Amino acid sequence: MLLERNILRDRGLYMISKKHMIAVIVCVAIGVSLILLSFLPNEREESSGYHASYGGTYRYAHSETIASLDPRKTVFSVSLNIMHQIFDPLINVSEDLELVPSICSSWEVVNNGRKFICHIAKGILFHDGKELTSADVVFSLHYISKRGGRNLDIESMSVIDGIKEYWSGKSSEIRGVRPVGKYAVQIDLINSCPHFAYIIASSRYVALPRNFNDLTPLEFFREPIGTGPFEFVSKNGNNIILRANKAYHNGRPYLDGLIFAYMPGKEGAVEAFKIGVVDDLSNYNISSMPQDIHGARYVLSESYSNLIVFPNNSRRPFSNRLFRELLYSAIDRERVVRECYPNSSVSKTIIPRGIIGYDGNAPSMQYDVARAESLVKEIRGDEVPIPKVTIWAVENDVNDCALYVINENFKVLGIPWEIQYTDSEMLAELFFDGAMDAEIELISVRNEDAHSILRFFNSASSENLARISDDLIDRLLNEAKYETEPMRRVKLYRQIDSLISNMDYAMPIVSPKIYSIWNPMFRRNDFGLTRMLKKFTEISLVRNEEAN
């Protein structure tokens, strides 16, 4: 089995090939960095702000497959991050979940919440020098709202007048979306929706040039042009090079360039960081400090996380609650902590400790072999065979040891279930095709608000990992999102968490700390989970006197 081969490899049986692999990755990364850096502007000594200096190229290591930069097809965090350096969203969202102007410099909701008007800032330029207008925004809304991609957020756009006819093919245009002069767009809604600005603030809805500058979508997204803070330079496999947009409407970024360097193995990425090939390891879920990373200078920040099993609640067998309860009863979480995460604790709730809404007094799911055996007999007594189930995990995202323990738990009970590795692109295919039985994922939460993790249970979200449809949870999530009174918000979050646990929609296993590691020659704020999409604009070189 693939998982067992990887366990053996990590225990030293393939040590020679493993070292060779690291060496190859590091050498390739050095070559890619040196070649592609020649396309970027030289560093400048100009300084701006109290702690910022212009210049430098930030090299961000990642392990994700970059299949597309098309907002209708982009799925994972790194692709979304790159997309949001090239394109501006119509409306942005702050770390405090507040709406922030972007392409829409202001907006208004009128006619009792049935009409939304986006006022576009004048003078916003695409990277080719053309000015963005209302025609571009109307085109963008039509393209991104098409069915057939990976944008499940379009379901929340069903409130727009005429969009159902557009989806069905009865109309080539969305009746309720139209330009109002050169610098405004009006969106008519079929029902009152005073919070429509939050819907349009989805990370998918960005500004694209009208008609893709007369290119096909495939041609355009090979070398995309947007209005964002960084311009596309090149793509080599999963390595992406960007340079600063000096004419950016919000002020040019401090950095001269960004390199998203593909390094599929965590060990190789750490080695590359130690010798100065990359500057940032935030994409890797590092739950324990590598023993010899102290040989490199680094800045360290901590965040809380949860290792969670997300069963696909929309298909068999996990649409049957008995199977979900069997899954949870069968996993020895204490052993996972003891053997794999010794400095962590068993997760009691979906919301990890340290996050607003965490309830330390909540009851914890228990490892119960007797209950698991009883459930197996009960299921078989109903003449329903225990089907073979594959729980998927992205390699390097989850601790191999934890997966090994869970597989062993299944074997002891004679349950024909197993955990298998795949890459991020294949996981996306399985997810969007509805073909995935379950997945296990380490969710890192750097934003203190619980909405950043509970959104995975919103039926209208493209990140509904558990594939649930629960009207009560949706309603409570919506209430919590707009609730301004802190204690009321905490109460709502705890109620949502309790509902998820009571219905066995997902199983939290362990809550380890995750470390973000980056080069101290750059100053950056810690990347929050909800909107790390724009934070590359805040990274700057540290002045020499600060570094010393």
Side-chain angles (χ1 to χ4, degrees):
M1 189 171 62
L2 177 59
L3 174 64
E4 291 177 341
R5 289 201 297 271
N6 284 325
I7 293 289
L8 293 173
R9 179 200 66 195
D10 287 344
R11 291 181 178 177
L13 295 184
Y14 298 142
M15 192 60 69
I16 295 177
S17 59
K18 187 176 179 181
K19 289 181 178 179
H20 177 70
M21 175 192 71
I22 292 172
V24 169
I25 290 172
V26 171
C27 290
V28 169
I30 293 173
V32 169
S33 299
L34 292 177
I35 292 171
L36 295 177
L37 276 172
S38 64
F39 291 98
L40 298 173
N42 293 327
E43 295 186 8
R44 294 178 286 107
E45 297 299 325
E46 178 187 359
S47 62
S48 173
Y50 181 63
H51 289 304
S53 294
Y54 286 103
T57 299
Y58 199 70
R59 300 158 301 177
Y60 183 87
H62 73 93
S63 59
E64 292 183 9
T65 302
I66 310 298
S68 175
L69 297 177
D70 184 336
R72 292 182 63 239
K73 300 178 180 179
T74 303
V75 179
F76 292 100
S77 61
V78 174
S79 299
L80 285 170
N81 269 295
I82 297 170
M83 188 183 78
H84 270 261
Q85 310 318 309
I86 300 170
F87 306 110
D88 277 314
L90 300 183
I91 299 175
N92 222 328
V93 180
S94 73
E95 287 297 319
D96 298 321
L97 302 178
E98 299 294 331
L99 298 177
V100 178
S102 182
I103 295 298
C104 298
S105 59
S106 64
W107 53 90
E108 52 185 317
V109 180
V110 296
N111 191 22
N112 294 320
R114 295 186 62 175
K115 182 183 295 184
F116 176 86
I117 302 174
C118 161
H119 297 284
I120 301 169
K122 296 181 181 180
I124 296 178
L125 301 179
F126 284 102
H127 299 151
D128 60 2
K130 296 177 182 177
E131 186 183 22
L132 177 139
T133 68
S134 57
D136 298 301
V137 173
V138 169
F139 169 78
S140 302
L141 287 168
H142 277 77
Y143 176 73
I144 298 169
S145 295
K146 285 183 179 179
R147 288 194 182 276
R150 293 178 174 178
N151 178 15
L152 297 185
D153 291 338
I154 62 172
E155 297 302 327
S156 61
M157 304 293 276
S158 61
V159 295
I160 298 177
D161 182 29
I163 200 166
K164 291 183 179 179
E165 291 86 346
Y166 178 68
W167 286 342
S168 67
K170 294 179 179 179
S171 175
S172 61
E173 296 182 350
I174 305 174
R175 182 172 56 248
V177 177
R178 58 183 181 273
V180 181
K182 192 175 181 180
Y183 298 109
V185 172
Q186 179 175 310
I187 302 176
D188 296 326
L189 311 176
I190 57 177
N191 298 310
S192 176
C193 187
H195 300 301
F196 183 75
Y198 277 94
I199 295 176
I200 208 74
S202 161
S203 60
R204 307 277 176 182
Y205 290 96
V206 298
L208 305 168
R210 182 177 45 170
N211 297 326
F212 297 123
N213 292 339
D214 297 323
L215 298 173
T216 67
L218 183 61
E219 291 170 334
F220 175 80
F221 287 110
R222 284 174 182 162
E223 297 183 9
I225 293 173
T227 63
F230 291 90
E231 302 175 10
F232 179 86
V233 174
S234 65
K235 181 178 186 292
N236 181 3
N238 295 310
N239 298 288
I240 304 285
I241 309 303
L242 308 178
R243 64 177 165 229
N245 175 9
K246 295 181 180 179
Y248 187 50
H249 59 98
N250 282 333
R252 68 147 291 173
Y254 294 114
L255 295 171
D256 281 339
L258 286 169
I259 293 179
F260 291 83
Y262 179 65
M263 297 182 179
K266 185 186 301 183
E267 299 92 340
V270 170
E271 291 297 321
F273 180 84
K274 286 164 57 179
I275 65 175
V277 171
V278 295
D279 300 303
D280 197 312
L281 298 178
S282 299
N283 182 244
Y284 301 86
N285 287 321
I286 299 178
S287 56
S288 60
M289 285 296 295
Q291 294 181 356
D292 54 354
I293 201 169
H294 298 282
R297 295 183 63 202
Y298 65 93
V299 175
L300 178 69
S301 71
E302 298 178 355
S303 64
Y304 291 101
S305 63
N306 246 349
L307 182 64
I308 302 176
V309 178
F310 293 94
N312 187 341
N313 290 270
S314 67
R315 59 173 280 168
R316 293 185 176 185
F318 292 121
S319 57
N320 182 339
R321 189 172 174 181
L322 288 178
F323 281 93
R324 300 200 299 271
E325 188 178 349
L326 172 58
L327 172 68
Y328 306 148
S329 300
I331 297 177
D332 187 350
R333 298 184 301 157
E334 294 283 356
R335 182 183 168 192
V336 171
V337 171
R338 185 171 61 253
E339 296 184 12
C340 311
Y341 295 94
N343 297 319
S344 302
S345 59
V346 169
S347 297
K348 289 187 173 183
T349 57
I350 295 297
I351 302 172
R353 57 193 174 89
I355 304 301
I356 294 173
Y358 172 72
D359 185 1
N361 296 319
S364 177
M365 299 177 184
Q366 298 296 319
Y367 171 57
D368 191 337
V369 175
R371 177 57 181 159
E373 291 174 341
S374 173
L375 284 165
V376 170
K377 291 179 181 178
E378 183 176 352
I379 292 169
R380 286 177 175 162
D382 291 336
E383 297 182 353
V384 178
I386 304 294
K388 182 177 181 180
V389 166
T390 300
I391 302 174
W392 295 94
V394 174
E395 192 164 9
N396 300 309
D397 184 54
V398 181
N399 187 319
D400 286 344
C401 172
L403 304 187
Y404 183 79
V405 170
I406 295 171
N407 260 336
E408 288 295 302
N409 291 156
F410 293 156
K411 286 181 180 179
V412 168
L413 288 166
I415 303 173
W417 297 352
E418 63 180 5
I419 298 180
Q420 288 280 15
Y421 282 120
T422 186
D423 59 28
S424 56
E425 183 64 17
M426 179 57 71
L427 189 71
E429 293 291 341
L430 291 167
F431 178 81
F432 282 96
D433 290 344
M436 183 168 57
D437 297 320
E439 72 171 294
I440 183 168
E441 188 166 338
L442 186 63
I443 305 294
S444 180
V445 185
R446 295 185 177 91
N447 183 298
E448 293 182 355
D449 193 284
H451 188 84
S452 60
I453 192 167
L454 293 179
R455 74 186 195 280
F456 294 119
F457 301 91
N458 184 341
S459 62
S461 171
S462 61
E463 297 174 301
N464 179 8
L465 296 182
R467 286 297 181 97
I468 69 169
S469 180
D470 191 305
D471 292 339
L472 179 57
I473 288 178
D474 289 345
R475 180 173 62 79
L476 293 173
L477 279 169
N478 194 57
E479 286 183 31
K481 187 174 184 178
Y482 305 115
E483 179 58 59
T484 58
E485 202 282 308
M487 292 309 298
R488 170 64 180 161
R489 198 171 193 175
V490 167
K491 185 177 179 180
L492 286 168
Y493 284 150
R494 290 182 175 179
Q495 187 177 352
I496 296 165
D497 203 326
S498 178
L499 284 170
I500 294 169
S501 297
N502 291 340
M503 292 302 296
D504 301 321
Y505 284 144
M507 180 186 185
I509 297 176
V510 58
S511 182
K513 285 185 178 180
I514 297 296
Y515 297 98
S516 292
I517 302 169
W518 70 90
N519 185 342
M521 293 308 297
F522 293 91
R523 181 176 296 280
R524 53 156 262 198
N525 294 329
D526 190 26
F527 288 166
L529 182 66
T530 54
R531 288 289 163 182
M532 63 185 286
L533 302 172
K534 280 292 185 181
K535 293 302 183 180
F536 287 103
T537 59
E538 299 180 8
I539 299 174
S540 65
L541 282 172
V542 174
R543 293 177 180 176
N544 289 334
E545 58 267 28
E546 289 186 88
N548 293 332

